Amino acid sequence: RSGGNPAVVNNSAWRTLFTGQGQKEALTRMESLVKQEKTNHSSLHTLAALYAEQGRLRDAMKALYRLAEMNLLCRNNPPTYF
């Protein structure tokens, strides 16, 4: 389990992109969170950014493709801008 409120976990992980501290732990938490909440746009976007920051570009692209697909399929959700 990622632990805690999904929005708090996501925001904490996003913050590591700017501080550079705790990114590996944040990546682990975000992978867990995205597995639990498969349609959470914000979490998937953060996960893609963390992957890219860690040099895992293929994983980042897969996450972004998944996000783009979700945007097309889930018209009731607000779009994610890249």
Side-chain angles (χ1 to χ4, degrees):
R1 232 187 105 97
S2 62
N5 180 307
V8 172
V9 173
N10 184 66
N11 290 341
S12 175
W14 190 256
R15 196 169 18 263
T16 70
L17 292 166
F18 297 95
T19 66
Q21 298 175 348
Q23 286 182 2
K24 289 183 181 182
E25 295 83 4
L27 180 60
T28 300
R29 286 191 302 272
M30 290 309 298
E31 287 174 329
S32 177
L33 181 61
V34 167
K35 284 179 186 174
Q36 292 173 39
E37 299 197 3
K38 296 181 186 328
T39 60
N40 186 316
H41 290 206
S42 298
S43 296
L44 192 54
H45 188 264
T46 301
L47 179 61
L50 285 166
Y51 280 146
E53 186 67 20
Q54 294 293 311
R56 294 175 58 180
L57 302 182
R58 178 166 280 140
D59 290 327
M61 289 302 299
K62 285 180 185 178
L64 290 173
Y65 284 135
R66 189 167 145 205
L67 185 58
E69 189 174 70
M70 285 172 35
N71 283 337
L72 291 174
L73 297 174
C74 301
R75 299 200 188 276
N76 293 332
N77 291 327
T80 300
Y81 299 100
F82 299 94

